[in-house]
Amino acid sequence: MAMSTRTALGSAAVSALTVLGLVTPAQARRVDARPDTAELGRELRKLEWRSGGVVSMSRIGESNQGRPVWGARVGHGPVRILYITQQHGNEPLGTPAALRFLAATGVGRTAAQRWLRSRVTVDVVVRANPDGHEHDWRYNHDPSARPGHGKPRKGYDLNRYHDPHIPPADNPATEAGLIQRHYAGFRPEIVVDYHMQGRYVLGDGREITASLMWPTTPGVTPSAGAFARQIAVVAQRAMTAAGGTVTQFPGGEYRGIARNAYGLCGSGSVLVELSDLGAEHERAQIDSALRAMLAVAWSAADGSVERVDPGAAERLPPRGEPLPDTDTTERAAD
Ligand SMILES: [Zn+2]
């Protein structure tokens, strides 16, 4: 059972990458890992145009400093998936991966692409925290705030302000409120939130390329918890197949963390933390995130995610020790 599931998933992932046109190395060179937010808007407009409107962008709201927070949609199928990137401004690589995901699934009219788009609707909040990106820090921009979670004179930690008990209108963290509103309107079955962590090694010396976690807060239904672990396994296998080393992420129980909050709301909710391996590995890390995005969409489309053993997630190793001389203080938590 486990073996046949793995084989089915493996072939689904392979066909997702080949048929959906995983970009060539030449194309990958053109990916800007850190487009500014105006450039990001231009890239999304270009995707709308190149896809003939199959990819559609929307402005889900404005940051505290007036920058657009962009949403993008691809597909029109019954299974709804939400990807979120860059809640923490200084964790950038999910954003270029999302641009590549939109291109791979939205630009082109192959049978596989059209089939995928008929099965899933994928919304992406592309760079949830444009002010934090601009300032190259974790927080949003709210220097007069005295945040319970965040940094005085900087702003709120957006990934602590998704608690379903806080209505968006009362949410002090503006951009987290935008995500809450978007979630409430879209009601996705699947939510995957892309972050970045420091550098860690396993006991055998292998460096970790990504860590994953599912909801860990009391009150998440067993079925939502199991579904999240199935999604995590799909993401892990896609990243491992590309040479990655993936572990569990030691995340906390706090309800305001998106991973926990959207699990409490009933979605299969997963955190992906890409390791910050340095400039020479950025393209590989973007590629790895793209593979996870494609595999999750594909497995939701063909239903193979529901046949995955959720226990495989719990058998992933814990994250391991930080590399010496790396700063893990700010990125110790999701
Ligand atoms: Zn983060």
Side-chain angles (χ1 to χ4, degrees), residues 157-181:
D157 183 335
L158 296 182
N159 201 25
R160 297 295 179 275
Y161 289 88
H162 296 269
D163 188 329
H165 285 162
I166 309 175
D170 297 338
N171 195 330
T174 304
E175 298 83 357
L178 296 178
I179 297 170
Q180 284 187 308
R181 273 203 187 83

mmCIF file with all atom_site columns, all heavy atoms in Angstrom, residues 157-181:
data_model
loop_
_atom_site.group_PDB
_atom_site.id
_atom_site.type_symbol
_atom_site.label_atom_id
_atom_site.label_alt_id
_atom_site.label_comp_id
_atom_site.label_asym_id
_atom_site.label_entity_id
_atom_site.label_seq_id
_atom_site.pdbx_PDB_ins_code
_atom_site.Cartn_x
_atom_site.Cartn_y
_atom_site.Cartn_z
_atom_site.occupancy
_atom_site.B_iso_or_equiv
_atom_site.pdbx_formal_charge
_atom_site.auth_seq_id
_atom_site.auth_comp_id
_atom_site.auth_asym_id
_atom_site.auth_atom_id
_atom_site.pdbx_PDB_model_num
ATOM 1   N N   . ASP A 1 157 ? 4.571   40.967 13.873 1.00 0.00 ? 157 ASP A N   1
ATOM 2   C CA  . ASP A 1 157 ? 4.898   39.692 13.234 1.00 0.00 ? 157 ASP A CA  1
ATOM 3   C C   . ASP A 1 157 ? 3.584   39.151 12.657 1.00 0.00 ? 157 ASP A C   1
ATOM 4   O O   . ASP A 1 157 ? 2.723   38.655 13.390 1.00 0.00 ? 157 ASP A O   1
ATOM 5   C CB  . ASP A 1 157 ? 5.473   38.731 14.280 1.00 0.00 ? 157 ASP A CB  1
ATOM 6   C CG  . ASP A 1 157 ? 5.896   37.406 13.669 1.00 0.00 ? 157 ASP A CG  1
ATOM 7   O OD1 . ASP A 1 157 ? 5.348   37.019 12.604 1.00 0.00 ? 157 ASP A OD1 1
ATOM 8   O OD2 . ASP A 1 157 ? 6.763   36.736 14.270 1.00 0.00 ? 157 ASP A OD2 1
ATOM 9   N N   . LEU A 1 158 ? 3.421   39.275 11.351 1.00 0.00 ? 158 LEU A N   1
ATOM 10  C CA  . LEU A 1 158 ? 2.128   38.924 10.733 1.00 0.00 ? 158 LEU A CA  1
ATOM 11  C C   . LEU A 1 158 ? 1.721   37.493 11.044 1.00 0.00 ? 158 LEU A C   1
ATOM 12  O O   . LEU A 1 158 ? 0.535   37.186 11.164 1.00 0.00 ? 158 LEU A O   1
ATOM 13  C CB  . LEU A 1 158 ? 2.195   39.103 9.204  1.00 0.00 ? 158 LEU A CB  1
ATOM 14  C CG  . LEU A 1 158 ? 2.429   40.523 8.704  1.00 0.00 ? 158 LEU A CG  1
ATOM 15  C CD1 . LEU A 1 158 ? 2.425   40.518 7.169  1.00 0.00 ? 158 LEU A CD1 1
ATOM 16  C CD2 . LEU A 1 158 ? 1.368   41.480 9.221  1.00 0.00 ? 158 LEU A CD2 1
ATOM 17  N N   . ASN A 1 159 ? 2.696   36.606 11.168 1.00 0.00 ? 159 ASN A N   1
ATOM 18  C CA  . ASN A 1 159 ? 2.350   35.197 11.370 1.00 0.00 ? 159 ASN A CA  1
ATOM 19  C C   . ASN A 1 159 ? 2.006   34.868 12.819 1.00 0.00 ? 159 ASN A C   1
ATOM 20  O O   . ASN A 1 159 ? 2.160   33.725 13.258 1.00 0.00 ? 159 ASN A O   1
ATOM 21  C CB  . ASN A 1 159 ? 3.476   34.288 10.870 1.00 0.00 ? 159 ASN A CB  1
ATOM 22  C CG  . ASN A 1 159 ? 2.974   32.880 10.595 1.00 0.00 ? 159 ASN A CG  1
ATOM 23  O OD1 . ASN A 1 159 ? 1.775   32.681 10.316 1.00 0.00 ? 159 ASN A OD1 1
ATOM 24  N ND2 . ASN A 1 159 ? 3.854   31.891 10.678 1.00 0.00 ? 159 ASN A ND2 1
ATOM 25  N N   . ARG A 1 160 ? 1.540   35.859 13.565 1.00 0.00 ? 160 ARG A N   1
ATOM 26  C CA  . ARG A 1 160 ? 0.956   35.635 14.884 1.00 0.00 ? 160 ARG A CA  1
ATOM 27  C C   . ARG A 1 160 ? -0.460  36.217 14.953 1.00 0.00 ? 160 ARG A C   1
ATOM 28  O O   . ARG A 1 160 ? -1.063  36.245 15.998 1.00 0.00 ? 160 ARG A O   1
ATOM 29  C CB  . ARG A 1 160 ? 1.820   36.289 15.979 1.00 0.00 ? 160 ARG A CB  1
ATOM 30  C CG  . ARG A 1 160 ? 3.224   35.704 16.099 1.00 0.00 ? 160 ARG A CG  1
ATOM 31  C CD  . ARG A 1 160 ? 3.213   34.247 16.540 1.00 0.00 ? 160 ARG A CD  1
ATOM 32  N NE  . ARG A 1 160 ? 4.566   33.703 16.632 1.00 0.00 ? 160 ARG A NE  1
ATOM 33  C CZ  . ARG A 1 160 ? 5.240   33.195 15.596 1.00 0.00 ? 160 ARG A CZ  1
ATOM 34  N NH1 . ARG A 1 160 ? 4.699   33.167 14.383 1.00 0.00 ? 160 ARG A NH1 1
ATOM 35  N NH2 . ARG A 1 160 ? 6.454   32.702 15.775 1.00 0.00 ? 160 ARG A NH2 1
ATOM 36  N N   . TYR A 1 161 ? -0.986  36.678 13.825 1.00 0.00 ? 161 TYR A N   1
ATOM 37  C CA  . TYR A 1 161 ? -2.260  37.417 13.842 1.00 0.00 ? 161 TYR A CA  1
ATOM 38  C C   . TYR A 1 161 ? -3.297  36.810 12.893 1.00 0.00 ? 161 TYR A C   1
ATOM 39  O O   . TYR A 1 161 ? -3.990  37.531 12.183 1.00 0.00 ? 161 TYR A O   1
ATOM 40  C CB  . TYR A 1 161 ? -1.993  38.901 13.541 1.00 0.00 ? 161 TYR A CB  1
ATOM 41  C CG  . TYR A 1 161 ? -1.291  39.564 14.698 1.00 0.00 ? 161 TYR A CG  1
ATOM 42  C CD1 . TYR A 1 161 ? 0.102   39.556 14.782 1.00 0.00 ? 161 TYR A CD1 1
ATOM 43  C CD2 . TYR A 1 161 ? -2.007  40.134 15.754 1.00 0.00 ? 161 TYR A CD2 1
ATOM 44  C CE1 . TYR A 1 161 ? 0.762   40.118 15.875 1.00 0.00 ? 161 TYR A CE1 1
ATOM 45  C CE2 . TYR A 1 161 ? -1.367  40.698 16.846 1.00 0.00 ? 161 TYR A CE2 1
ATOM 46  C CZ  . TYR A 1 161 ? 0.019   40.683 16.898 1.00 0.00 ? 161 TYR A CZ  1
ATOM 47  O OH  . TYR A 1 161 ? 0.658   41.237 17.985 1.00 0.00 ? 161 TYR A OH  1
ATOM 48  N N   . HIS A 1 162 ? -3.381  35.476 12.912 1.00 0.00 ? 162 HIS A N   1
ATOM 49  C CA  . HIS A 1 162 ? -4.389  34.800 12.079 1.00 0.00 ? 162 HIS A CA  1
ATOM 50  C C   . HIS A 1 162 ? -5.441  34.087 12.925 1.00 0.00 ? 162 HIS A C   1
ATOM 51  O O   . HIS A 1 162 ? -6.270  33.362 12.370 1.00 0.00 ? 162 HIS A O   1
ATOM 52  C CB  . HIS A 1 162 ? -3.702  33.790 11.154 1.00 0.00 ? 162 HIS A CB  1
ATOM 53  C CG  . HIS A 1 162 ? -2.780  34.415 10.157 1.00 0.00 ? 162 HIS A CG  1
ATOM 54  N ND1 . HIS A 1 162 ? -3.205  34.806 8.895  1.00 0.00 ? 162 HIS A ND1 1
ATOM 55  C CD2 . HIS A 1 162 ? -1.473  34.739 10.242 1.00 0.00 ? 162 HIS A CD2 1
ATOM 56  C CE1 . HIS A 1 162 ? -2.167  35.341 8.246  1.00 0.00 ? 162 HIS A CE1 1
ATOM 57  N NE2 . HIS A 1 162 ? -1.113  35.308 9.030  1.00 0.00 ? 162 HIS A NE2 1
ATOM 58  N N   . ASP A 1 163 ? -5.409  34.266 14.239 1.00 0.00 ? 163 ASP A N   1
ATOM 59  C CA  . ASP A 1 163 ? -6.356  33.559 15.108 1.00 0.00 ? 163 ASP A CA  1
ATOM 60  C C   . ASP A 1 163 ? -7.788  33.766 14.613 1.00 0.00 ? 163 ASP A C   1
ATOM 61  O O   . ASP A 1 163 ? -8.234  34.902 14.455 1.00 0.00 ? 163 ASP A O   1
ATOM 62  C CB  . ASP A 1 163 ? -6.203  34.103 16.534 1.00 0.00 ? 163 ASP A CB  1
ATOM 63  C CG  . ASP A 1 163 ? -7.010  33.292 17.549 1.00 0.00 ? 163 ASP A CG  1
ATOM 64  O OD1 . ASP A 1 163 ? -8.075  32.742 17.179 1.00 0.00 ? 163 ASP A OD1 1
ATOM 65  O OD2 . ASP A 1 163 ? -6.568  33.221 18.711 1.00 0.00 ? 163 ASP A OD2 1
ATOM 66  N N   . PRO A 1 164 ? -8.515  32.667 14.358 1.00 0.00 ? 164 PRO A N   1
ATOM 67  C CA  . PRO A 1 164 ? -9.888  32.819 13.849 1.00 0.00 ? 164 PRO A CA  1
ATOM 68  C C   . PRO A 1 164 ? -10.802 33.607 14.793 1.00 0.00 ? 164 PRO A C   1
ATOM 69  O O   . PRO A 1 164 ? -11.834 34.116 14.362 1.00 0.00 ? 164 PRO A O   1
ATOM 70  C CB  . PRO A 1 164 ? -10.388 31.375 13.718 1.00 0.00 ? 164 PRO A CB  1
ATOM 71  C CG  . PRO A 1 164 ? -9.186  30.521 13.743 1.00 0.00 ? 164 PRO A CG  1
ATOM 72  C CD  . PRO A 1 164 ? -8.099  31.268 14.464 1.00 0.00 ? 164 PRO A CD  1
ATOM 73  N N   . HIS A 1 165 ? -10.408 33.730 16.066 1.00 0.00 ? 165 HIS A N   1
ATOM 74  C CA  . HIS A 1 165 ? -11.232 34.520 16.994 1.00 0.00 ? 165 HIS A CA  1
ATOM 75  C C   . HIS A 1 165 ? -11.047 36.023 16.815 1.00 0.00 ? 165 HIS A C   1
ATOM 76  O O   . HIS A 1 165 ? -11.825 36.806 17.343 1.00 0.00 ? 165 HIS A O   1
ATOM 77  C CB  . HIS A 1 165 ? -10.933 34.134 18.452 1.00 0.00 ? 165 HIS A CB  1
ATOM 78  C CG  . HIS A 1 165 ? -11.540 32.818 18.831 1.00 0.00 ? 165 HIS A CG  1
ATOM 79  N ND1 . HIS A 1 165 ? -11.133 32.085 19.922 1.00 0.00 ? 165 HIS A ND1 1
ATOM 80  C CD2 . HIS A 1 165 ? -12.529 32.091 18.243 1.00 0.00 ? 165 HIS A CD2 1
ATOM 81  C CE1 . HIS A 1 165 ? -11.840 30.971 19.990 1.00 0.00 ? 165 HIS A CE1 1
ATOM 82  N NE2 . HIS A 1 165 ? -12.683 30.945 18.979 1.00 0.00 ? 165 HIS A NE2 1
ATOM 83  N N   . ILE A 1 166 ? -10.005 36.437 16.098 1.00 0.00 ? 166 ILE A N   1
ATOM 84  C CA  . ILE A 1 166 ? -9.832  37.876 15.813 1.00 0.00 ? 166 ILE A CA  1
ATOM 85  C C   . ILE A 1 166 ? -10.486 38.177 14.470 1.00 0.00 ? 166 ILE A C   1
ATOM 86  O O   . ILE A 1 166 ? -9.992  37.722 13.439 1.00 0.00 ? 166 ILE A O   1
ATOM 87  C CB  . ILE A 1 166 ? -8.344  38.285 15.702 1.00 0.00 ? 166 ILE A CB  1
ATOM 88  C CG1 . ILE A 1 166 ? -7.530  37.797 16.901 1.00 0.00 ? 166 ILE A CG1 1
ATOM 89  C CG2 . ILE A 1 166 ? -8.205  39.791 15.533 1.00 0.00 ? 166 ILE A CG2 1
ATOM 90  C CD1 . ILE A 1 166 ? -6.029  38.092 16.744 1.00 0.00 ? 166 ILE A CD1 1
ATOM 91  N N   . PRO A 1 167 ? -11.590 38.925 14.437 1.00 0.00 ? 167 PRO A N   1
ATOM 92  C CA  . PRO A 1 167 ? -12.150 39.263 13.124 1.00 0.00 ? 167 PRO A CA  1
ATOM 93  C C   . PRO A 1 167 ? -11.190 40.197 12.373 1.00 0.00 ? 167 PRO A C   1
ATOM 94  O O   . PRO A 1 167 ? -10.484 40.993 13.015 1.00 0.00 ? 167 PRO A O   1
ATOM 95  C CB  . PRO A 1 167 ? -13.458 39.996 13.452 1.00 0.00 ? 167 PRO A CB  1
ATOM 96  C CG  . PRO A 1 167 ? -13.591 40.016 14.925 1.00 0.00 ? 167 PRO A CG  1
ATOM 97  C CD  . PRO A 1 167 ? -12.317 39.532 15.548 1.00 0.00 ? 167 PRO A CD  1
ATOM 98  N N   . PRO A 1 168 ? -11.137 40.079 11.053 1.00 0.00 ? 168 PRO A N   1
ATOM 99  C CA  . PRO A 1 168 ? -10.214 40.922 10.285 1.00 0.00 ? 168 PRO A CA  1
ATOM 100 C C   . PRO A 1 168 ? -10.348 42.409 10.618 1.00 0.00 ? 168 PRO A C   1
ATOM 101 O O   . PRO A 1 168 ? -9.340  43.127 10.681 1.00 0.00 ? 168 PRO A O   1
ATOM 102 C CB  . PRO A 1 168 ? -10.619 40.653 8.828  1.00 0.00 ? 168 PRO A CB  1
ATOM 103 C CG  . PRO A 1 168 ? -11.272 39.317 8.844  1.00 0.00 ? 168 PRO A CG  1
ATOM 104 C CD  . PRO A 1 168 ? -11.891 39.144 10.199 1.00 0.00 ? 168 PRO A CD  1
ATOM 105 N N   . ALA A 1 169 ? -11.552 42.868 10.886 1.00 0.00 ? 169 ALA A N   1
ATOM 106 C CA  . ALA A 1 169 ? -11.749 44.294 11.169 1.00 0.00 ? 169 ALA A CA  1
ATOM 107 C C   . ALA A 1 169 ? -11.049 44.720 12.460 1.00 0.00 ? 169 ALA A C   1
ATOM 108 O O   . ALA A 1 169 ? -10.711 45.888 12.625 1.00 0.00 ? 169 ALA A O   1
ATOM 109 C CB  . ALA A 1 169 ? -13.239 44.609 11.255 1.00 0.00 ? 169 ALA A CB  1
ATOM 110 N N   . ASP A 1 170 ? -10.840 43.781 13.370 1.00 0.00 ? 170 ASP A N   1
ATOM 111 C CA  . ASP A 1 170 ? -10.175 44.101 14.636 1.00 0.00 ? 170 ASP A CA  1
ATOM 112 C C   . ASP A 1 170 ? -8.708  43.693 14.633 1.00 0.00 ? 170 ASP A C   1
ATOM 113 O O   . ASP A 1 170 ? -8.044  43.759 15.671 1.00 0.00 ? 170 ASP A O   1
ATOM 114 C CB  . ASP A 1 170 ? -10.863 43.352 15.797 1.00 0.00 ? 170 ASP A CB  1
ATOM 115 C CG  . ASP A 1 170 ? -12.308 43.788 15.977 1.00 0.00 ? 170 ASP A CG  1
ATOM 116 O OD1 . ASP A 1 170 ? -12.652 44.902 15.520 1.00 0.00 ? 170 ASP A OD1 1
ATOM 117 O OD2 . ASP A 1 170 ? -13.091 43.015 16.572 1.00 0.00 ? 170 ASP A OD2 1
ATOM 118 N N   . ASN A 1 171 ? -8.222  43.234 13.499 1.00 0.00 ? 171 ASN A N   1
ATOM 119 C CA  . ASN A 1 171 ? -6.851  42.720 13.454 1.00 0.00 ? 171 ASN A CA  1
ATOM 120 C C   . ASN A 1 171 ? -5.865  43.886 13.392 1.00 0.00 ? 171 ASN A C   1
ATOM 121 O O   . ASN A 1 171 ? -5.892  44.665 12.436 1.00 0.00 ? 171 ASN A O   1
ATOM 122 C CB  . ASN A 1 171 ? -6.690  41.806 12.226 1.00 0.00 ? 171 ASN A CB  1
ATOM 123 C CG  . ASN A 1 171 ? -5.432  40.958 12.313 1.00 0.00 ? 171 ASN A CG  1
ATOM 124 O OD1 . ASN A 1 171 ? -4.436  41.374 12.904 1.00 0.00 ? 171 ASN A OD1 1
ATOM 125 N ND2 . ASN A 1 171 ? -5.479  39.771 11.727 1.00 0.00 ? 171 ASN A ND2 1
ATOM 126 N N   . PRO A 1 172 ? -4.995  44.036 14.385 1.00 0.00 ? 172 PRO A N   1
ATOM 127 C CA  . PRO A 1 172 ? -4.067  45.175 14.361 1.00 0.00 ? 172 PRO A CA  1
ATOM 128 C C   . PRO A 1 172 ? -2.975  45.024 13.297 1.00 0.00 ? 172 PRO A C   1
ATOM 129 O O   . PRO A 1 172 ? -2.357  46.019 12.914 1.00 0.00 ? 172 PRO A O   1
ATOM 130 C CB  . PRO A 1 172 ? -3.459  45.156 15.765 1.00 0.00 ? 172 PRO A CB  1
ATOM 131 C CG  . PRO A 1 172 ? -3.534  43.714 16.188 1.00 0.00 ? 172 PRO A CG  1
ATOM 132 C CD  . PRO A 1 172 ? -4.789  43.171 15.558 1.00 0.00 ? 172 PRO A CD  1
ATOM 133 N N   . ALA A 1 173 ? -2.749  43.806 12.836 1.00 0.00 ? 173 ALA A N   1
ATOM 134 C CA  . ALA A 1 173 ? -1.695  43.547 11.844 1.00 0.00 ? 173 ALA A CA  1
ATOM 135 C C   . ALA A 1 173 ? -2.347  43.556 10.458 1.00 0.00 ? 173 ALA A C   1
ATOM 136 O O   . ALA A 1 173 ? -2.917  42.559 10.013 1.00 0.00 ? 173 ALA A O   1
ATOM 137 C CB  . ALA A 1 173 ? -1.013  42.221 12.129 1.00 0.00 ? 173 ALA A CB  1
ATOM 138 N N   . THR A 1 174 ? -2.256  44.702 9.792  1.00 0.00 ? 174 THR A N   1
ATOM 139 C CA  . THR A 1 174 ? -3.037  44.967 8.575  1.00 0.00 ? 174 THR A CA  1
ATOM 140 C C   . THR A 1 174 ? -2.993  43.829 7.561  1.00 0.00 ? 174 THR A C   1
ATOM 141 O O   . THR A 1 174 ? -4.027  43.344 7.098  1.00 0.00 ? 174 THR A O   1
ATOM 142 C CB  . THR A 1 174 ? -2.489  46.243 7.902  1.00 0.00 ? 174 THR A CB  1
ATOM 143 O OG1 . THR A 1 174 ? -2.550  47.292 8.861  1.00 0.00 ? 174 THR A OG1 1
ATOM 144 C CG2 . THR A 1 174 ? -3.279  46.611 6.650  1.00 0.00 ? 174 THR A CG2 1
ATOM 145 N N   . GLU A 1 175 ? -1.783  43.418 7.210  1.00 0.00 ? 175 GLU A N   1
ATOM 146 C CA  . GLU A 1 175 ? -1.650  42.480 6.099  1.00 0.00 ? 175 GLU A CA  1
ATOM 147 C C   . GLU A 1 175 ? -2.121  41.072 6.497  1.00 0.00 ? 175 GLU A C   1
ATOM 148 O O   . GLU A 1 175 ? -2.580  40.308 5.640  1.00 0.00 ? 175 GLU A O   1
ATOM 149 C CB  . GLU A 1 175 ? -0.202  42.469 5.595  1.00 0.00 ? 175 GLU A CB  1
ATOM 150 C CG  . GLU A 1 175 ? 0.282   43.835 5.049  1.00 0.00 ? 175 GLU A CG  1
ATOM 151 C CD  . GLU A 1 175 ? 0.766   44.795 6.152  1.00 0.00 ? 175 GLU A CD  1
ATOM 152 O OE1 . GLU A 1 175 ? 0.686   44.441 7.352  1.00 0.00 ? 175 GLU A OE1 1
ATOM 153 O OE2 . GLU A 1 175 ? 1.224   45.898 5.803  1.00 0.00 ? 175 GLU A OE2 1
ATOM 154 N N   . ALA A 1 176 ? -2.030  40.739 7.794  1.00 0.00 ? 176 ALA A N   1
ATOM 155 C CA  . ALA A 1 176 ? -2.595  39.456 8.249  1.00 0.00 ? 176 ALA A CA  1
ATOM 156 C C   . ALA A 1 176 ? -4.120  39.499 8.110  1.00 0.00 ? 176 ALA A C   1
ATOM 157 O O   . ALA A 1 176 ? -4.756  38.506 7.728  1.00 0.00 ? 176 ALA A O   1
ATOM 158 C CB  . ALA A 1 176 ? -2.183  39.167 9.692  1.00 0.00 ? 176 ALA A CB  1
ATOM 159 N N   . GLY A 1 177 ? -4.702  40.658 8.413  1.00 0.00 ? 177 GLY A N   1
ATOM 160 C CA  . GLY A 1 177 ? -6.149  40.824 8.229  1.00 0.00 ? 177 GLY A CA  1
ATOM 161 C C   . GLY A 1 177 ? -6.560  40.647 6.773  1.00 0.00 ? 177 GLY A C   1
ATOM 162 O O   . GLY A 1 177 ? -7.616  40.077 6.473  1.00 0.00 ? 177 GLY A O   1
ATOM 163 N N   . LEU A 1 178 ? -5.702  41.109 5.848  1.00 0.00 ? 178 LEU A N   1
ATOM 164 C CA  . LEU A 1 178 ? -6.005  40.926 4.415  1.00 0.00 ? 178 LEU A CA  1
ATOM 165 C C   . LEU A 1 178 ? -6.044  39.435 4.065  1.00 0.00 ? 178 LEU A C   1
ATOM 166 O O   . LEU A 1 178 ? -6.916  38.989 3.303  1.00 0.00 ? 178 LEU A O   1
ATOM 167 C CB  . LEU A 1 178 ? -4.950  41.622 3.548  1.00 0.00 ? 178 LEU A CB  1
ATOM 168 C CG  . LEU A 1 178 ? -4.853  43.145 3.649  1.00 0.00 ? 178 LEU A CG  1
ATOM 169 C CD1 . LEU A 1 178 ? -3.716  43.645 2.758  1.00 0.00 ? 178 LEU A CD1 1
ATOM 170 C CD2 . LEU A 1 178 ? -6.169  43.805 3.257  1.00 0.00 ? 178 LEU A CD2 1
ATOM 171 N N   . ILE A 1 179 ? -5.115  38.683 4.615  1.00 0.00 ? 179 ILE A N   1
ATOM 172 C CA  . ILE A 1 179 ? -5.089  37.243 4.335  1.00 0.00 ? 179 ILE A CA  1
ATOM 173 C C   . ILE A 1 179 ? -6.318  36.574 4.947  1.00 0.00 ? 179 ILE A C   1
ATOM 174 O O   . ILE A 1 179 ? -6.955  35.723 4.320  1.00 0.00 ? 179 ILE A O   1
ATOM 175 C CB  . ILE A 1 179 ? -3.786  36.606 4.871  1.00 0.00 ? 179 ILE A CB  1
ATOM 176 C CG1 . ILE A 1 179 ? -2.570  37.199 4.157  1.00 0.00 ? 179 ILE A CG1 1
ATOM 177 C CG2 . ILE A 1 179 ? -3.811  35.081 4.679  1.00 0.00 ? 179 ILE A CG2 1
ATOM 178 C CD1 . ILE A 1 179 ? -1.237  36.812 4.786  1.00 0.00 ? 179 ILE A CD1 1
ATOM 179 N N   . GLN A 1 180 ? -6.662  36.964 6.175  1.00 0.00 ? 180 GLN A N   1
ATOM 180 C CA  . GLN A 1 180 ? -7.870  36.402 6.815  1.00 0.00 ? 180 GLN A CA  1
ATOM 181 C C   . GLN A 1 180 ? -9.104  36.637 5.945  1.00 0.00 ? 180 GLN A C   1
ATOM 182 O O   . GLN A 1 180 ? -9.922  35.740 5.756  1.00 0.00 ? 180 GLN A O   1
ATOM 183 C CB  . GLN A 1 180 ? -8.118  37.086 8.163  1.00 0.00 ? 180 GLN A CB  1
ATOM 184 C CG  . GLN A 1 180 ? -7.227  36.655 9.291  1.00 0.00 ? 180 GLN A CG  1
ATOM 185 C CD  . GLN A 1 180 ? -7.716  37.307 10.582 1.00 0.00 ? 180 GLN A CD  1
ATOM 186 O OE1 . GLN A 1 180 ? -7.903  38.522 10.637 1.00 0.00 ? 180 GLN A OE1 1
ATOM 187 N NE2 . GLN A 1 180 ? -7.933  36.493 11.602 1.00 0.00 ? 180 GLN A NE2 1
ATOM 188 N N   . ARG A 1 181 ? -9.242  37.872 5.439  1.00 0.00 ? 181 ARG A N   1
ATOM 189 C CA  . ARG A 1 181 ? -10.402 38.195 4.590  1.00 0.00 ? 181 ARG A CA  1
ATOM 190 C C   . ARG A 1 181 ? -10.396 37.355 3.316  1.00 0.00 ? 181 ARG A C   1
ATOM 191 O O   . ARG A 1 181 ? -11.412 36.849 2.886  1.00 0.00 ? 181 ARG A O   1
ATOM 192 C CB  . ARG A 1 181 ? -10.365 39.673 4.174  1.00 0.00 ? 181 ARG A CB  1
ATOM 193 C CG  . ARG A 1 181 ? -11.003 40.583 5.153  1.00 0.00 ? 181 ARG A CG  1
ATOM 194 C CD  . ARG A 1 181 ? -11.445 41.893 4.470  1.00 0.00 ? 181 ARG A CD  1
ATOM 195 N NE  . ARG A 1 181 ? -11.904 42.792 5.503  1.00 0.00 ? 181 ARG A NE  1
ATOM 196 C CZ  . ARG A 1 181 ? -11.084 43.561 6.243  1.00 0.00 ? 181 ARG A CZ  1
ATOM 197 N NH1 . ARG A 1 181 ? -9.791  43.563 5.994  1.00 0.00 ? 181 ARG A NH1 1
ATOM 198 N NH2 . ARG A 1 181 ? -11.574 44.318 7.185  1.00 0.00 ? 181 ARG A NH2 1
#
